[in-house]
Amino acid sequence: MKKFNRIICIFAVIFTLGAGNAFSQFDNITDAVGSFSQAMVNSLPFNSTIGLNWSDAHIGKFFPSLPPHFGVGLTVGATSIPVASINELVDTISTLTDVSINLPAEISLGFPMLAYAAEARIGGFFLPFDIGVKAGYLPKVDLLTDLTGFGMNYLLLGADFRYQVVDLKLMKISVGVGYNRLEGGISQNLGNGIELAFGDYALAATAPELGLKWETNMLEFKAQISFPIVVVTPYAGIGIGYAWSKAGYGLTSDITATHNGQPLPISDVTNALSGYGISGLTDRGFEQMFDSEGFNFRLFGGLAVNLPFVKFDLTVMYNLMDTIFTETFNLSSLGVTFGVRLQI
């Protein structure tokens, strides 16, 4: 937890420096923020698959069965964002602010995207299937008392349906389909107001809030095999999904515009500022979002320890998309989760 707090603190400092000083030179940081946002877009679908990777390929029927089979639990874990995009953002802000920022060694392989989800699964009725749901939520809160105004929000939702196709004493195989939605963001209050200059144009923002935000929706088909061996259950699976994602940044504020010092309606400057990467400009703010959609492939597997009515799961996931494009094994493509649940 101390390492995670340190990473969050470092990122908060990066974000605050970029917001306060370098943001006045907006055109110089759009490329760096854009690269970071693009890395986020590519990492979101993988992160959304945290949760519901239970060790049992099928938990059994709810009815008719004595006892009925169901379970509830909690999973926490992390995947990573390639650190190259973080380095570009850090280097750009360091150059503009003359402040040296040293990233912690813990993120040398990638910036961690943490996730958590409460989970529940119920067995099928008459047929050998089960249905799972998951949800994780963090309302927008100030995370750090010594950096007032820096906050984070988080939402993870998902559900899946699995059907058992092989049922042997020491081996079970299921196939299924699932849906995941992930959204989140970080934000920083910039004080009472700032003015952003773009050539002869300027935008004045009152009590502005700068934020990075992201979201993804993914439909995934998966297959899983498990080997129930009394005390432990080894398992492995593969998921093939298609995701619709977007990530970017935005400034929320009361916005007024001027040209050579003369007030102008916001609608009169939108075209002029499009060359600076400003889109979606209104009198309430602006944003720049990066969209991506496409297939995702992952492997997952691990080991569960089975106690009476309690199971502990350790799952390792690997994002195959990175290997497909680079043709090399990449440690930053790994994800790991730990879960505990009550299961009958």
Side-chain angles (χ1 to χ4, degrees):
M1 182 59 72
K2 289 182 179 179
K3 289 182 179 180
F4 174 62
N5 287 341
R6 184 183 172 211
I7 291 169
I8 287 295
C9 287
I10 289 288
F11 196 72
V13 170
I14 294 169
F15 198 54
T16 304
L17 287 173
N21 297 326
F23 200 75
S24 63
Q25 304 178 55
F26 182 82
D27 54 326
N28 291 322
I29 67 168
T30 52
D31 288 343
V33 176
S35 296
F36 175 76
S37 299
Q38 190 62 56
M40 283 289 299
V41 163
N42 295 334
S43 302
L44 291 173
F46 187 46
N47 186 263
S48 75
T49 62
I50 287 178
L52 292 181
N53 299 304
W54 290 23
S55 57
D56 301 295
H58 176 242
I59 67 170
K61 297 176 184 176
F62 185 83
F63 181 85
S65 176
L66 288 176
H69 294 289
F70 64 94
V72 293
L74 179 69
T75 291
V76 296
T79 59
S80 67
I81 306 170
V83 74
S85 61
I86 306 293
N87 286 332
E88 181 180 353
L89 185 60
V90 169
D91 291 343
T92 300
I93 292 174
S94 295
T95 299
L96 295 176
T97 60
D98 292 325
V99 175
S100 178
I101 303 172
N102 296 315
L103 293 177
E106 292 87 354
I107 68 170
S108 59
L109 294 177
F111 190 87
M113 287 186 66
L114 276 75
Y116 81 94
E119 309 166 295
R121 190 177 292 279
I122 185 171
F125 294 77
F126 299 104
L127 297 176
F129 68 87
D130 60 35
I131 297 174
V133 294
K134 66 180 180 183
Y137 176 64
L138 177 69
K140 188 175 181 179
V141 295
D142 186 355
L143 290 181
L144 304 167
T145 56
D146 58 337
L147 287 171
T148 303
F150 179 83
M152 174 180 287
N153 62 285
Y154 166 80
L155 176 68
L156 175 63
L157 298 172
D160 70 4
F161 173 92
R162 305 185 306 177
Y163 194 90
Q164 182 174 253
V165 294
V166 174
D167 182 14
L168 302 176
K169 184 177 181 180
L170 295 179
M171 183 178 70
K172 299 180 184 296
I173 300 177
S174 66
V175 295
V177 60
Y179 166 79
N180 301 303
R181 174 170 177 79
L182 172 69
E183 60 182 68
I186 59 175
S187 61
Q188 174 68 46
N189 295 326
L190 304 184
N192 294 328
I194 59 174
E195 183 173 291
L196 309 175
F198 306 94
D200 296 333
Y201 294 88
L203 297 177
T206 304
E209 180 181 84
L210 178 65
L212 296 174
K213 52 187 177 179
W214 52 84
E215 67 177 69
T216 190
N217 292 277
M218 187 174 78
L219 182 67
E220 183 181 51
F221 297 91
K222 54 187 177 181
Q224 181 178 340
I225 184 171
S226 61
F227 305 93
I229 312 174
V230 186
V231 179
V232 297
T233 302
Y235 57 99
I238 185 171
I240 302 174
Y242 194 88
W244 299 263
S245 308
K246 59 182 179 179
Y249 59 90
L251 186 82
T252 303
S253 174
D254 291 325
I255 300 288
T256 56
T258 59
H259 180 243
N260 290 324
Q262 300 300 313
L264 284 178
I266 291 293
S267 58
D268 289 354
V269 302
T270 52
N271 289 335
L273 298 186
S274 62
Y276 293 91
I278 298 294
S279 62
L281 176 63
T282 70
D283 58 3
R284 293 295 303 143
F286 58 83
E287 65 179 15
Q288 185 178 30
M289 301 298 291
F290 299 82
D291 298 316
S292 177
E293 66 176 82
F295 286 99
N296 293 270
F297 304 90
R298 68 176 179 119
L299 299 175
F300 63 94
L303 185 73
V305 177
N306 309 317
L307 302 179
F309 306 113
V310 179
K311 292 179 181 287
F312 298 93
D313 263 347
L314 179 64
T315 304
V316 176
M317 307 189 300
Y318 184 75
N319 187 352
L320 279 173
M321 290 300 294
D322 292 339
T323 299
I324 290 173
F325 288 122
T326 64
E327 298 182 354
T328 58
F329 178 79
N330 191 346
L331 287 176
S332 66
S333 300
L334 289 172
V336 62
T337 70
F338 176 77
V340 58
R341 64 183 181 274
L342 301 175
Q343 181 177 326
I344 299 176

